[in-house]
Amino acid sequence: MKVKYIVYTLLFAGVGALVFYRISENKKQKMDAAGGGGKDGKKPPMAVNGVVVAPQEFANTLSLSGSIEANEQIEVHSEVSGIAEKIFFTEGAKVSKGQVLVKINDIELRAQAGQAKTRQTLAAENERRARLLLQKEAISQEEYDIASADYKTALAQTQLINAQIGKTSIRAPFSGTIGLRNISPGTYVTPTTLITNLVNSSQIKITFSVPEKYASQMKVNSVITFTVSGSNETFQAKVYALEPSVEVTTRTLKVRAIAENAQGKLLPGTFANVILPLDEVKDAFVIPTEAIVPVQGGKKVFVVRNGQAQEATVETGTRTDKDIVVLSGLKAGDTVLTTGVLTLKKETPVKVSLTKKAK
């Protein structure tokens, strides 16, 4: 019996010791959660990364899509209807300004011109005689005015027909490269018939649109760079014209630049990736984009002061893939936290590891 009582006594003692241990541990954990796990009852500092802010020059670029156009480009049409008698160009060849491309049959027009010339000669003689008679007061002023009007009408008719004859020779309005022809000798052409295309691409134009927030930075004669698909070469162009207003629907400003294309590497109609340099900002504060915390009504960052994280409301400007310009809210020498910013709270103790110094 004594052995039995001894076993029960030891068992109850063991259970009581276990309960006491668990109660003590729970109290200790509650105290740690409430007062921190340090020896002095304070929470250990949170390990974070940060950068030291310093003023620097900031030069940003803007990547835009543009369209390459020929310096000059037209569709070649005839101004008069008729049979295409001769074609004087070769497809894909270079032509000079004023060169005859197509000759339209003008036999009927020349016949009309001869007829009109005869009428003009007769009207001129009648006008001369009427003038002499008027000087002798043999006819009235009205009769002379009729003869003079007949002469002027005949002269205008002759000039009109000669102008139409001139239009039967279709000439290149500028030097360039002729395209593929859409007619053959003997084709009856009208003003709506497309004969071919004429393109001058010794220089090319790049047209692109700039968001309105950067419109004030666009200047004539500024230099841009661009690339095209299928080539690793970088080309340069100079801005020569701006639209006078921003498009309301897209809120963009249309800009046009021109580039040399003597070697013909750039084809009109293709797309260009335009790299547009923006204004340089001196003494700018540049920080990593991950340091910015969006809040209602603005943005904030966490800076370190006396070993604690403090909130600072900032105003930002231009943003790149990795960095953002801070316009206000920071000063030189501030340490801006870049990690843990979404979990940080005001006056949280922090231990900062500087990753890089913002230049």
Side-chain angles (χ1 to χ4, degrees), residues 62 64 208-216 245-254:
L62 193 64
L64 303 166
F208 55 95
S209 296
V210 178
E212 63 176 344
K213 65 183 295 186
Y214 302 111
S216 61
S245 62
V246 171
E247 292 185 12
V248 177
T249 54
T250 61
R251 293 299 177 185
T252 57
L253 177 70
K254 187 170 288 186

Side-chain angles (χ1 to χ4, degrees), residues 164-237:
Q164 291 178 321
I165 292 174
K167 292 178 180 179
T168 59
S169 295
I170 303 174
R171 300 177 183 272
F174 53 83
S175 299
T177 303
I178 207 73
L180 305 179
R181 63 181 172 92
N182 299 307
I183 64 169
S184 300
T187 301
Y188 183 82
V189 298
T190 66
T192 61
T193 304
L194 174 61
I195 298 174
T196 186
N197 292 299
L198 178 61
V199 177
N200 179 355
S201 58
S202 59
Q203 291 181 316
I204 55 94
K205 300 173 183 175
I206 304 100
T207 303
F208 55 95
S209 296
V210 178
E212 63 176 344
K213 65 183 295 186
Y214 302 111
S216 61
Q217 298 187 32
M218 297 299 99
K219 301 291 188 296
V220 174
N221 294 327
S222 59
V223 177
I224 65 169
T225 58
F226 66 96
T227 59
V228 293
S229 178
S231 174
N232 295 325
E233 187 174 353
T234 300
F235 304 91
Q236 285 191 340

